[in-house]
Amino acid sequence: MGKIGSGGRIMARWLDVKNVEGGYGSVKIIHGIDMHVDEGEFVTIIGPNGCGKSTLIKIIFGIATYYGGKVEHKGEDVSGWRTDRLATRGIAYVPQVDNVFPSLSVEENLQMGGNSLSSSLLSERIGHALDMFPDLKDRTHDLAASLSGGERQMLAIGRALINQPDFLLLDEPTAALSPLYQQQIIERIDALREVGITVLIVEQNARLSLARSDRGYILSNGKVVHTGNAEDILNDPHINEYFLGTKGD
């Protein structure tokens, strides 16, 4: 069961993670995590470096090793599915690094996101992606290697949108970016909800992402140690001190 949305409509449970465990090969990093994301939500996972944030999202998308528990998408058990099967269900993933083809142009990168589409439909989808990230409009023939860090992230997200997913997973999209680009990237990600995309994001800049989020999960040592409304997390002085980098009053 999901939450009640505007107009009294029940919002579907987009993701349900139940007692999930996993890691890399024989190295266990995630220990019995429970979490969920409802349709239309923006949910942020935060925590100290090395706590398992990125590993968790990779387990969900079939990249890291799944040991046990259950991952459900829209009520169907997709535990341990390959990434290509998950993509056909409308799930897209944007990794933190190596998320563009540097030797290809901006346009060619976007084309790679929809190489199974007809040329006319692909052209239309690329146009939508460029409308979402207008900074790239004058760079379509430039190599991705020539882009700034912020522009690369825009390109990576734009390419992920070509197949029109309704659930987007992002791994630290603002890492190593200037404050201006950090703000722009988070604003654009938040705006995706206006076109029906549910968002789950792993983010090191906790304050920036939680300010746009509905809810948050805090991980430590591969376990969920706190969850709640994003505003409550931001205003909790104890969480501020230990997880957000500033002490409360």
Side-chain angles (χ1 to χ4, degrees):
M1 180 71 70
K3 65 181 181 179
I4 304 298
S6 59
R9 185 171 74 90
I10 297 177
M11 310 299 283
R13 181 60 52 85
W14 239 229
L15 176 73
D16 215 349
V17 173
K18 303 175 181 178
N19 196 32
V20 162
E21 300 187 341
Y24 301 100
S26 61
V27 180
K28 188 175 181 180
I29 295 175
I30 297 301
H31 305 273
I33 281 184
D34 295 307
M35 66 172 296
H36 72 272
V37 180
D38 288 328
E39 178 186 2
E41 281 194 308
F42 186 132
V43 175
T44 295
I45 303 172
I46 65 173
N49 289 333
C51 70
K53 304 185 299 295
S54 294
T55 302
L56 174 60
I57 208 168
K58 289 176 182 177
I59 291 170
I60 293 170
F61 197 62
I63 298 173
T65 306
Y66 158 77
Y67 292 171
K70 185 178 288 187
V71 178
E72 294 183 350
H73 177 239
K74 300 181 184 179
E76 182 172 352
D77 187 350
V78 297
S79 308
W81 279 27
R82 298 190 315 269
T83 59
D84 57 338
R85 291 186 69 193
L86 294 170
T88 63
R89 293 182 60 85
I91 305 175
Y93 165 73
V94 180
Q96 178 185 351
V97 296
D98 299 327
N99 52 20
V100 299
F101 298 100
S103 62
L104 299 182
S105 70
V106 168
E107 184 175 33
E108 288 167 337
N109 267 274
L110 293 172
Q111 290 171 343
M112 292 290 289
N115 51 22
S116 63
L117 303 175
S118 68
S119 58
S120 60
L121 183 55
L122 178 57
S123 179
E124 179 183 329
R125 299 275 180 86
I126 289 175
H128 290 325
L130 294 174
D131 287 340
M132 178 66 68
F133 299 106
D135 299 50
L136 301 176
K137 282 189 173 182
D138 294 331
R139 306 293 305 275
T140 55
H141 299 298
D142 295 343
L143 293 181
S146 70
L147 301 179
S148 68
E151 290 168 338
R152 286 194 186 198
Q153 285 293 353
M154 291 178 182
L155 177 57
I157 297 170
R159 191 180 66 210
L161 299 177
I162 296 297
N163 278 321
Q164 293 190 329
D166 57 21
F167 189 25
L168 185 61
L169 313 175
L170 300 113
D171 189 1
E172 301 200 18
T174 72
L177 302 185
S178 69
L180 177 60
Y181 268 126
Q182 288 181 353
Q183 189 68 44
Q184 287 183 357
I185 292 293
I186 289 295
E187 287 177 356
R188 305 284 170 80
I189 292 170
D190 190 22
L192 294 176
R193 294 196 287 174
E194 298 175 8
V195 293
I197 298 177
T198 300
V199 175
L200 176 62
I201 180 173
V202 167
E203 185 51 62
Q204 196 64 29
N205 191 329
R207 288 187 171 280
L208 180 66
S209 190
L210 286 171
R212 295 275 176 173
S213 298
D214 297 294
R215 295 183 301 109
Y217 287 88
I218 302 176
L219 267 60
S220 181
N221 297 318
K223 299 179 180 179
V224 173
V225 295
H226 187 82
T227 183
N229 177 279
E231 184 176 357
D232 292 340
I233 293 174
L234 282 169
N235 293 328
D236 188 313
H238 300 295
I239 294 173
N240 282 336
E241 180 175 354
Y242 293 109
F243 294 103
L244 305 186
T246 59
K247 294 186 178 182
D249 294 332

